[in-house]
mmCIF file of all heavy atoms in Angstrom:
data_model
loop_
_atom_site.group_PDB
_atom_site.id
_atom_site.type_symbol
_atom_site.label_atom_id
_atom_site.label_comp_id
_atom_site.label_asym_id
_atom_site.label_seq_id
_atom_site.Cartn_x
_atom_site.Cartn_y
_atom_site.Cartn_z
ATOM 1 N N THR A 1 -26.012 -20.168 8.903
ATOM 2 C CA THR A 1 -26.336 -18.744 9.018
ATOM 3 C C THR A 1 -25.363 -18.021 9.937
ATOM 4 O O THR A 1 -24.891 -16.914 9.653
ATOM 5 C CB THR A 1 -27.781 -18.556 9.527
ATOM 6 O OG1 THR A 1 -28.666 -19.224 8.640
ATOM 7 C CG2 THR A 1 -28.131 -17.084 9.633
ATOM 8 N N VAL A 2 -25.057 -18.664 11.095
ATOM 9 C CA VAL A 2 -24.124 -18.059 12.052
ATOM 10 C C VAL A 2 -22.748 -17.914 11.422
ATOM 11 O O VAL A 2 -22.063 -16.889 11.552
ATOM 12 C CB VAL A 2 -24.070 -18.921 13.340
ATOM 13 C CG1 VAL A 2 -22.936 -18.406 14.236
ATOM 14 C CG2 VAL A 2 -25.402 -18.868 14.056
ATOM 15 N N SER A 3 -22.288 -18.933 10.684
ATOM 16 C CA SER A 3 -20.964 -18.876 10.055
ATOM 17 C C SER A 3 -20.874 -17.784 9.015
ATOM 18 O O SER A 3 -19.915 -17.019 8.939
ATOM 19 C CB SER A 3 -20.644 -20.230 9.409
ATOM 20 O OG SER A 3 -20.631 -21.253 10.376
ATOM 21 N N GLU A 4 -21.946 -17.671 8.190
ATOM 22 C CA GLU A 4 -21.938 -16.633 7.159
ATOM 23 C C GLU A 4 -21.975 -15.263 7.760
ATOM 24 O O GLU A 4 -21.305 -14.335 7.293
ATOM 25 C CB GLU A 4 -23.131 -16.839 6.220
ATOM 26 C CG GLU A 4 -23.016 -18.073 5.329
ATOM 27 C CD GLU A 4 -24.253 -18.275 4.497
ATOM 28 O OE1 GLU A 4 -25.251 -17.566 4.767
ATOM 29 O OE2 GLU A 4 -24.220 -19.135 3.581
ATOM 30 N N ASP A 5 -22.767 -15.107 8.840
ATOM 31 C CA ASP A 5 -22.840 -13.806 9.489
ATOM 32 C C ASP A 5 -21.510 -13.423 10.095
ATOM 33 O O ASP A 5 -21.052 -12.278 9.981
ATOM 34 C CB ASP A 5 -23.931 -13.826 10.562
ATOM 35 C CG ASP A 5 -24.061 -12.481 11.238
ATOM 36 O OD1 ASP A 5 -24.470 -11.513 10.567
ATOM 37 O OD2 ASP A 5 -23.740 -12.378 12.448
ATOM 38 N N ARG A 6 -20.845 -14.392 10.740
ATOM 39 C CA ARG A 6 -19.530 -14.104 11.342
ATOM 40 C C ARG A 6 -18.501 -13.780 10.265
ATOM 41 O O ARG A 6 -17.707 -12.868 10.393
ATOM 42 C CB ARG A 6 -19.088 -15.328 12.135
ATOM 43 C CG ARG A 6 -17.752 -15.111 12.864
ATOM 44 C CD ARG A 6 -17.419 -16.327 13.686
ATOM 45 N NE ARG A 6 -18.448 -16.560 14.700
ATOM 46 C CZ ARG A 6 -18.517 -17.669 15.461
ATOM 47 N NH1 ARG A 6 -17.624 -18.640 15.279
ATOM 48 N NH2 ARG A 6 -19.473 -17.803 16.366
ATOM 49 N N ALA A 7 -18.527 -14.528 9.156
ATOM 50 C CA ALA A 7 -17.588 -14.272 8.057
ATOM 51 C C ALA A 7 -17.840 -12.914 7.460
ATOM 52 O O ALA A 7 -16.920 -12.182 7.083
ATOM 53 C CB ALA A 7 -17.724 -15.362 6.996
ATOM 54 N N GLY A 8 -19.143 -12.545 7.352
ATOM 55 C CA GLY A 8 -19.465 -11.230 6.799
ATOM 56 C C GLY A 8 -18.940 -10.102 7.650
ATOM 57 O O GLY A 8 -18.416 -9.125 7.153
ATOM 58 N N ARG A 9 -19.092 -10.273 9.001
ATOM 59 C CA ARG A 9 -18.575 -9.245 9.902
ATOM 60 C C ARG A 9 -17.067 -9.140 9.794
ATOM 61 O O ARG A 9 -16.488 -8.061 9.796
ATOM 62 C CB ARG A 9 -19.001 -9.526 11.334
ATOM 63 C CG ARG A 9 -20.494 -9.332 11.605
ATOM 64 C CD ARG A 9 -20.736 -9.207 13.083
ATOM 65 N NE ARG A 9 -20.286 -10.412 13.800
ATOM 66 C CZ ARG A 9 -21.050 -11.477 14.042
ATOM 67 N NH1 ARG A 9 -22.300 -11.509 13.596
ATOM 68 N NH2 ARG A 9 -20.591 -12.507 14.728
ATOM 69 N N VAL A 10 -16.374 -10.285 9.704
ATOM 70 C CA VAL A 10 -14.904 -10.274 9.577
ATOM 71 C C VAL A 10 -14.486 -9.620 8.279
ATOM 72 O O VAL A 10 -13.568 -8.820 8.207
ATOM 73 C CB VAL A 10 -14.352 -11.715 9.668
ATOM 74 C CG1 VAL A 10 -12.862 -11.722 9.341
ATOM 75 C CG2 VAL A 10 -14.605 -12.295 11.057
ATOM 76 N N SER A 11 -15.230 -9.947 7.180
ATOM 77 C CA SER A 11 -14.890 -9.385 5.884
ATOM 78 C C SER A 11 -15.069 -7.876 5.883
ATOM 79 O O SER A 11 -14.244 -7.115 5.385
ATOM 80 C CB SER A 11 -15.733 -10.011 4.769
ATOM 81 O OG SER A 11 -15.487 -11.400 4.701
ATOM 82 N N ARG A 12 -16.195 -7.422 6.454
ATOM 83 C CA ARG A 12 -16.455 -5.978 6.484
ATOM 84 C C ARG A 12 -15.427 -5.244 7.312
ATOM 85 O O ARG A 12 -15.122 -4.086 7.082
ATOM 86 C CB ARG A 12 -17.866 -5.707 7.006
ATOM 87 C CG ARG A 12 -18.981 -6.104 6.034
ATOM 88 C CD ARG A 12 -20.306 -5.547 6.501
ATOM 89 N NE ARG A 12 -20.711 -6.131 7.775
ATOM 90 C CZ ARG A 12 -21.436 -7.236 7.891
ATOM 91 N NH1 ARG A 12 -21.825 -7.914 6.815
ATOM 92 N NH2 ARG A 12 -21.786 -7.693 9.093
ATOM 93 N N THR A 13 -14.865 -5.931 8.292
ATOM 94 C CA THR A 13 -13.850 -5.301 9.155
ATOM 95 C C THR A 13 -12.465 -5.390 8.522
ATOM 96 O O THR A 13 -11.666 -4.467 8.593
ATOM 97 C CB THR A 13 -13.820 -5.981 10.539
ATOM 98 O OG1 THR A 13 -15.105 -5.918 11.096
ATOM 99 C CG2 THR A 13 -12.813 -5.290 11.451
ATOM 100 N N PHE A 14 -12.178 -6.515 7.862
ATOM 101 C CA PHE A 14 -10.823 -6.764 7.364
ATOM 102 C C PHE A 14 -10.503 -5.994 6.088
ATOM 103 O O PHE A 14 -9.444 -5.372 5.977
ATOM 104 C CB PHE A 14 -10.641 -8.266 7.114
ATOM 105 C CG PHE A 14 -9.395 -8.630 6.371
ATOM 106 C CD1 PHE A 14 -8.155 -8.621 7.004
ATOM 107 C CD2 PHE A 14 -9.448 -8.949 5.021
ATOM 108 C CE1 PHE A 14 -7.022 -8.930 6.322
ATOM 109 C CE2 PHE A 14 -8.294 -9.269 4.328
ATOM 110 C CZ PHE A 14 -7.076 -9.277 4.992
ATOM 111 N N TRP A 15 -11.404 -6.014 5.107
ATOM 112 C CA TRP A 15 -11.072 -5.482 3.778
ATOM 113 C C TRP A 15 -10.753 -3.997 3.761
ATOM 114 O O TRP A 15 -9.828 -3.586 3.084
ATOM 115 C CB TRP A 15 -12.194 -5.807 2.796
ATOM 116 C CG TRP A 15 -12.151 -7.238 2.377
ATOM 117 C CD1 TRP A 15 -13.045 -8.219 2.648
ATOM 118 C CD2 TRP A 15 -11.114 -7.872 1.634
ATOM 119 N NE1 TRP A 15 -12.633 -9.415 2.139
ATOM 120 C CE2 TRP A 15 -11.466 -9.236 1.492
ATOM 121 C CE3 TRP A 15 -9.912 -7.407 1.049
ATOM 122 C CZ2 TRP A 15 -10.660 -10.140 0.828
ATOM 123 C CZ3 TRP A 15 -9.126 -8.319 0.362
ATOM 124 C CH2 TRP A 15 -9.492 -9.655 0.257
ATOM 125 N N PRO A 16 -11.464 -3.137 4.522
ATOM 126 C CA PRO A 16 -11.061 -1.719 4.509
ATOM 127 C C PRO A 16 -9.619 -1.504 4.967
ATOM 128 O O PRO A 16 -8.870 -0.722 4.409
ATOM 129 C CB PRO A 16 -12.056 -1.056 5.471
ATOM 130 C CG PRO A 16 -13.258 -1.941 5.400
ATOM 131 C CD PRO A 16 -12.729 -3.326 5.278
ATOM 132 N N TYR A 17 -9.220 -2.283 6.031
ATOM 133 C CA TYR A 17 -7.831 -2.168 6.500
ATOM 134 C C TYR A 17 -6.854 -2.709 5.466
ATOM 135 O O TYR A 17 -5.773 -2.179 5.255
ATOM 136 C CB TYR A 17 -7.668 -2.896 7.833
ATOM 137 C CG TYR A 17 -8.292 -2.189 8.995
ATOM 138 C CD1 TYR A 17 -9.474 -2.659 9.559
ATOM 139 C CD2 TYR A 17 -7.720 -1.037 9.537
ATOM 140 C CE1 TYR A 17 -10.072 -2.003 10.618
ATOM 141 C CE2 TYR A 17 -8.310 -0.380 10.605
ATOM 142 C CZ TYR A 17 -9.482 -0.867 11.155
ATOM 143 O OH TYR A 17 -10.056 -0.222 12.193
ATOM 144 N N ALA A 18 -7.233 -3.829 4.850
ATOM 145 C CA ALA A 18 -6.352 -4.425 3.830
ATOM 146 C C ALA A 18 -6.148 -3.488 2.664
ATOM 147 O O ALA A 18 -5.040 -3.311 2.160
ATOM 148 C CB ALA A 18 -6.944 -5.760 3.367
ATOM 149 N N ILE A 19 -7.253 -2.860 2.205
ATOM 150 C CA ILE A 19 -7.158 -1.915 1.083
ATOM 151 C C ILE A 19 -6.299 -0.710 1.447
ATOM 152 O O ILE A 19 -5.458 -0.259 0.680
ATOM 153 C CB ILE A 19 -8.561 -1.488 0.635
ATOM 154 C CG1 ILE A 19 -9.319 -2.672 0.041
ATOM 155 C CG2 ILE A 19 -8.482 -0.345 -0.379
ATOM 156 C CD1 ILE A 19 -10.773 -2.388 -0.259
ATOM 157 N N ALA A 20 -6.513 -0.211 2.669
ATOM 158 C CA ALA A 20 -5.742 0.961 3.132
ATOM 159 C C ALA A 20 -4.255 0.629 3.192
ATOM 160 O O ALA A 20 -3.401 1.411 2.764
ATOM 161 C CB ALA A 20 -6.244 1.445 4.489
ATOM 162 N N CYS A 21 -3.930 -0.552 3.733
ATOM 163 C CA CYS A 21 -2.525 -0.950 3.805
ATOM 164 C C CYS A 21 -1.916 -1.137 2.417
ATOM 165 O O CYS A 21 -0.780 -0.765 2.161
ATOM 166 C CB CYS A 21 -2.398 -2.250 4.606
ATOM 167 S SG CYS A 21 -2.796 -2.070 6.364
ATOM 168 N N GLY A 22 -2.739 -1.698 1.493
ATOM 169 C CA GLY A 22 -2.242 -1.872 0.128
ATOM 170 C C GLY A 22 -1.958 -0.563 -0.556
ATOM 171 O O GLY A 22 -0.929 -0.397 -1.206
ATOM 172 N N LEU A 23 -2.859 0.413 -0.391
ATOM 173 C CA LEU A 23 -2.642 1.723 -0.987
ATOM 174 C C LEU A 23 -1.416 2.407 -0.401
ATOM 175 O O LEU A 23 -0.642 3.055 -1.105
ATOM 176 C CB LEU A 23 -3.892 2.592 -0.780
ATOM 177 C CG LEU A 23 -5.117 2.218 -1.597
ATOM 178 C CD1 LEU A 23 -6.308 3.072 -1.193
ATOM 179 C CD2 LEU A 23 -4.838 2.333 -3.079
ATOM 180 N N SER A 24 -1.228 2.250 0.921
ATOM 181 C CA SER A 24 -0.057 2.849 1.558
ATOM 182 C C SER A 24 1.220 2.263 1.008
ATOM 183 O O SER A 24 2.198 2.961 0.751
ATOM 184 C CB SER A 24 -0.119 2.642 3.078
ATOM 185 O OG SER A 24 -1.259 3.280 3.613
ATOM 186 N N ALA A 25 1.217 0.928 0.800
ATOM 187 C CA ALA A 25 2.412 0.278 0.255
ATOM 188 C C ALA A 25 2.704 0.744 -1.165
ATOM 189 O O ALA A 25 3.852 1.006 -1.522
ATOM 190 C CB ALA A 25 2.221 -1.239 0.279
ATOM 191 N N VAL A 26 1.651 0.894 -1.981
ATOM 192 C CA VAL A 26 1.828 1.375 -3.363
ATOM 193 C C VAL A 26 2.372 2.788 -3.371
ATOM 194 O O VAL A 26 3.285 3.129 -4.137
ATOM 195 C CB VAL A 26 0.498 1.271 -4.128
ATOM 196 C CG1 VAL A 26 0.632 1.965 -5.487
ATOM 197 C CG2 VAL A 26 0.115 -0.186 -4.320
ATOM 198 N N MET A 27 1.797 3.657 -2.512
ATOM 199 C CA MET A 27 2.254 5.045 -2.460
ATOM 200 C C MET A 27 3.698 5.136 -1.985
ATOM 201 O O MET A 27 4.490 5.917 -2.493
ATOM 202 C CB MET A 27 1.341 5.858 -1.539
ATOM 203 C CG MET A 27 -0.067 6.025 -2.083
ATOM 204 S SD MET A 27 -1.170 6.849 -0.905
ATOM 205 C CE MET A 27 -0.377 8.474 -0.854
ATOM 206 N N PHE A 28 4.079 4.305 -1.014
ATOM 207 C CA PHE A 28 5.464 4.292 -0.535
ATOM 208 C C PHE A 28 6.415 3.860 -1.631
ATOM 209 O O PHE A 28 7.472 4.462 -1.844
ATOM 210 C CB PHE A 28 5.594 3.372 0.685
ATOM 211 C CG PHE A 28 7.004 3.197 1.136
ATOM 212 C CD1 PHE A 28 7.621 4.159 1.939
ATOM 213 C CD2 PHE A 28 7.734 2.070 0.778
ATOM 214 C CE1 PHE A 28 8.937 3.990 2.344
ATOM 215 C CE2 PHE A 28 9.044 1.892 1.208
ATOM 216 C CZ PHE A 28 9.644 2.870 1.976
ATOM 217 N N ALA A 29 6.028 2.780 -2.355
ATOM 218 C CA ALA A 29 6.890 2.291 -3.442
ATOM 219 C C ALA A 29 7.038 3.326 -4.530
ATOM 220 O O ALA A 29 8.130 3.546 -5.056
ATOM 221 C CB ALA A 29 6.314 0.995 -4.007
ATOM 222 N N ALA A 30 5.926 4.002 -4.890
ATOM 223 C CA ALA A 30 5.995 5.021 -5.930
ATOM 224 C C ALA A 30 6.879 6.180 -5.489
ATOM 225 O O ALA A 30 7.683 6.693 -6.269
ATOM 226 C CB ALA A 30 4.582 5.519 -6.266
ATOM 227 N N GLY A 31 6.730 6.584 -4.242
ATOM 228 C CA GLY A 31 7.587 7.679 -3.727
ATOM 229 C C GLY A 31 9.027 7.309 -3.720
ATOM 230 O O GLY A 31 9.903 8.115 -4.055
ATOM 231 N N TYR A 32 9.341 6.060 -3.362
ATOM 232 C CA TYR A 32 10.726 5.607 -3.361
ATOM 233 C C TYR A 32 11.316 5.613 -4.758
ATOM 234 O O TYR A 32 12.440 6.042 -4.980
ATOM 235 C CB TYR A 32 10.820 4.215 -2.748
ATOM 236 C CG TYR A 32 12.193 3.609 -2.802
ATOM 237 C CD1 TYR A 32 13.166 3.980 -1.863
ATOM 238 C CD2 TYR A 32 12.550 2.689 -3.785
ATOM 239 C CE1 TYR A 32 14.452 3.433 -1.924
ATOM 240 C CE2 TYR A 32 13.811 2.142 -3.851
ATOM 241 C CZ TYR A 32 14.751 2.525 -2.900
ATOM 242 O OH TYR A 32 16.013 1.986 -2.978
ATOM 243 N N LEU A 33 10.522 5.115 -5.731
ATOM 244 C CA LEU A 33 11.017 5.072 -7.108
ATOM 245 C C LEU A 33 11.246 6.481 -7.655
ATOM 246 O O LEU A 33 12.239 6.728 -8.332
ATOM 247 C CB LEU A 33 10.025 4.314 -7.985
ATOM 248 C CG LEU A 33 9.914 2.817 -7.723
ATOM 249 C CD1 LEU A 33 8.794 2.210 -8.565
ATOM 250 C CD2 LEU A 33 11.246 2.121 -8.012
ATOM 251 N N LEU A 34 10.326 7.405 -7.372
ATOM 252 C CA LEU A 34 10.491 8.779 -7.831
ATOM 253 C C LEU A 34 11.719 9.423 -7.203
ATOM 254 O O LEU A 34 12.467 10.133 -7.860
ATOM 255 C CB LEU A 34 9.241 9.596 -7.507
ATOM 256 C CG LEU A 34 7.999 9.280 -8.341
ATOM 257 C CD1 LEU A 34 6.803 10.056 -7.813
ATOM 258 C CD2 LEU A 34 8.227 9.610 -9.809
ATOM 259 N N SER A 35 11.927 9.174 -5.895
ATOM 260 C CA SER A 35 13.096 9.720 -5.234
ATOM 261 C C SER A 35 14.375 9.160 -5.813
ATOM 262 O O SER A 35 15.343 9.883 -6.045
ATOM 263 C CB SER A 35 13.013 9.411 -3.724
ATOM 264 O OG SER A 35 14.170 9.869 -3.055
ATOM 265 N N SER A 36 14.382 7.845 -6.084
ATOM 266 C CA SER A 36 15.565 7.236 -6.666
ATOM 267 C C SER A 36 15.833 7.789 -8.052
ATOM 268 O O SER A 36 16.976 8.049 -8.441
ATOM 269 C CB SER A 36 15.390 5.707 -6.741
ATOM 270 O OG SER A 36 15.194 5.176 -5.444
ATOM 271 N N ARG A 37 14.733 7.979 -8.848
ATOM 272 C CA ARG A 37 14.909 8.523 -10.201
ATOM 273 C C ARG A 37 15.450 9.931 -10.154
ATOM 274 O O ARG A 37 16.316 10.293 -10.945
ATOM 275 C CB ARG A 37 13.583 8.483 -10.945
ATOM 276 C CG ARG A 37 13.698 8.865 -12.415
ATOM 277 C CD ARG A 37 12.359 8.825 -13.094
ATOM 278 N NE ARG A 37 11.493 9.855 -12.590
ATOM 279 C CZ ARG A 37 10.260 10.077 -13.063
ATOM 280 N NH1 ARG A 37 9.771 9.307 -14.005
ATOM 281 N NH2 ARG A 37 9.514 11.032 -12.552
ATOM 282 N N ASP A 38 14.968 10.770 -9.197
ATOM 283 C CA ASP A 38 15.455 12.132 -9.080
ATOM 284 C C ASP A 38 16.933 12.136 -8.735
ATOM 285 O O ASP A 38 17.703 12.960 -9.233
ATOM 286 C CB ASP A 38 14.667 12.887 -8.003
ATOM 287 C CG ASP A 38 13.245 13.177 -8.452
ATOM 288 O OD1 ASP A 38 12.991 13.100 -9.673
ATOM 289 O OD2 ASP A 38 12.397 13.448 -7.589
ATOM 290 N N GLN A 39 17.353 11.210 -7.854
ATOM 291 C CA GLN A 39 18.754 11.159 -7.502
ATOM 292 C C GLN A 39 19.605 10.736 -8.690
ATOM 293 O O GLN A 39 20.711 11.215 -8.880
ATOM 294 C CB GLN A 39 18.963 10.165 -6.341
ATOM 295 C CG GLN A 39 18.349 10.650 -5.027
ATOM 296 C CD GLN A 39 18.510 9.642 -3.931
ATOM 297 O OE1 GLN A 39 19.094 8.580 -4.112
ATOM 298 N NE2 GLN A 39 17.979 9.979 -2.749
ATOM 299 N N GLU A 40 19.069 9.824 -9.525
ATOM 300 C CA GLU A 40 19.807 9.399 -10.698
ATOM 301 C C GLU A 40 19.867 10.515 -11.743
ATOM 302 O O GLU A 40 20.823 10.610 -12.500
ATOM 303 C CB GLU A 40 19.134 8.163 -11.318
ATOM 304 C CG GLU A 40 19.229 6.931 -10.432
ATOM 305 C CD GLU A 40 18.486 5.751 -10.999
ATOM 306 O OE1 GLU A 40 17.860 5.919 -12.062
ATOM 307 O OE2 GLU A 40 18.543 4.667 -10.400
ATOM 308 N N MET A 41 18.840 11.368 -11.774
ATOM 309 C CA MET A 41 18.804 12.403 -12.792
ATOM 310 C C MET A 41 19.847 13.479 -12.535
ATOM 311 O O MET A 41 20.262 14.170 -13.443
ATOM 312 C CB MET A 41 17.406 13.029 -12.806
ATOM 313 C CG MET A 41 16.341 12.117 -13.414
ATOM 314 S SD MET A 41 14.703 12.843 -13.311
ATOM 315 C CE MET A 41 14.926 14.303 -14.314
ATOM 316 N N VAL A 42 20.255 13.683 -11.295
ATOM 317 C CA VAL A 42 21.228 14.711 -10.973
ATOM 318 C C VAL A 42 22.487 14.028 -10.455
ATOM 319 O O VAL A 42 22.597 13.658 -9.293
ATOM 320 C CB VAL A 42 20.677 15.679 -9.914
ATOM 321 C CG1 VAL A 42 21.708 16.754 -9.604
ATOM 322 C CG2 VAL A 42 19.363 16.300 -10.379
ATOM 323 N N ARG A 43 23.446 13.826 -11.356
ATOM 324 C CA ARG A 43 24.739 13.228 -11.010
ATOM 325 C C ARG A 43 25.847 14.206 -11.350
ATOM 326 O O ARG A 43 26.084 14.506 -12.515
ATOM 327 C CB ARG A 43 24.937 11.895 -11.752
ATOM 328 C CG ARG A 43 26.138 11.117 -11.275
ATOM 329 C CD ARG A 43 26.158 9.741 -11.930
ATOM 330 N NE ARG A 43 26.382 9.848 -13.353
ATOM 331 C CZ ARG A 43 27.600 9.872 -13.903
ATOM 332 N NH1 ARG A 43 28.676 9.825 -13.150
ATOM 333 N NH2 ARG A 43 27.730 9.942 -15.211
ATOM 334 N N GLU A 44 26.498 14.728 -10.344
ATOM 335 C CA GLU A 44 27.481 15.794 -10.542
ATOM 336 C C GLU A 44 28.880 15.206 -10.606
ATOM 337 O O GLU A 44 29.245 14.334 -9.824
ATOM 338 C CB GLU A 44 27.385 16.794 -9.376
ATOM 339 C CG GLU A 44 28.239 18.019 -9.546
ATOM 340 C CD GLU A 44 27.999 19.068 -8.485
ATOM 341 O OE1 GLU A 44 27.071 19.890 -8.664
ATOM 342 O OE2 GLU A 44 28.722 19.054 -7.473
ATOM 343 N N VAL A 45 29.646 15.718 -11.565
ATOM 344 C CA VAL A 45 31.022 15.292 -11.763
ATOM 345 C C VAL A 45 31.921 16.522 -11.678
ATOM 346 O O VAL A 45 31.593 17.574 -12.230
ATOM 347 C CB VAL A 45 31.224 14.603 -13.132
ATOM 348 C CG1 VAL A 45 32.670 14.200 -13.337
ATOM 349 C CG2 VAL A 45 30.296 13.388 -13.244
ATOM 350 N N SER A 46 33.043 16.396 -10.985
ATOM 351 C CA SER A 46 33.962 17.528 -10.824
ATOM 352 C C SER A 46 35.396 17.107 -11.133
ATOM 353 O O SER A 46 35.813 15.992 -10.775
ATOM 354 C CB SER A 46 33.899 18.086 -9.399
ATOM 355 O OG SER A 46 32.625 18.627 -9.100
#
């Protein structure tokens, strides 16, 4: 019972941070890809 309770408290504390970090990483990667695509879309030649 003590082990399950301790694991439950750790899980309730860990997963919100893990999910938040995962979403931040996905948003950063998406932003980087969009920025790279925009740079590729505008290539000027003179």
